[in-house]
Amino acid sequence: MPLKMNFDQVDAVSSQLKVLANPDRLKILCVLMEHAFNVQEIEERTQIHQPTLSQQLTILRNANLVGTERIGKYIYYRCVDEKVLKLIQTLHALYCAK
């Protein structure tokens, strides 16, 4: 018996995929899969330099994929969307795991 398709969320999914389709944003989310990092740490791990990194982090924050926490003088970024986290983990398993 074929699955009944529900297209209620197709616009929301499409919007999220557009955000994820950028290579820099995908790198950032991969780095933030398991740990929170500040901008300098993300820059070191991704090799994405300012101001591009800040621009991409702003887009991820506006899409509610990344959240922040201030600790002392640093702002730490982390992935806050469980669905996107699962998607990034799945992509990692399919394309990056050796």
Side-chain angles (χ1 to χ4, degrees):
M1 175 175 252
L3 294 174
K4 183 177 178 182
M5 296 294 172
N6 180 346
F7 296 115
D8 293 345
Q9 295 298 314
V10 74
D11 290 336
V13 172
S14 178
S15 294
Q16 293 291 53
L17 290 174
K18 286 177 187 175
V19 172
L20 296 174
N22 177 280
D24 287 340
R25 292 191 290 266
L26 193 54
K27 283 185 195 178
I28 293 166
L29 288 170
C30 286
V31 166
L32 298 177
M33 269 181 29
E34 297 181 11
H35 297 95
F37 293 107
N38 65 41
V39 172
Q40 182 181 354
E41 294 168 328
I42 297 169
E43 183 177 12
E44 290 171 1
R45 287 167 172 77
T46 62
Q47 300 301 307
I48 303 168
H49 303 292
Q50 294 283 351
T52 303
L53 180 57
S54 292
Q55 181 184 31
Q56 299 309 326
L57 284 167
T58 297
I59 293 169
L60 290 170
R61 283 182 70 190
N62 290 341
N64 297 314
L65 302 182
V66 169
T68 60
E69 178 182 6
R70 180 178 289 279
I71 301 175
K73 65 179 184 173
Y74 296 103
I75 296 175
Y76 286 83
Y77 293 83
R78 61 183 169 74
C79 182
V80 295
D81 187 309
E82 288 296 321
K83 291 176 187 172
V84 169
L85 184 58
K86 286 181 184 179
L87 181 59
I88 297 295
Q89 290 168 339
T90 300
L91 291 172
H92 183 268
L94 291 171
Y95 292 101
C96 304
K98 296 183 180 189

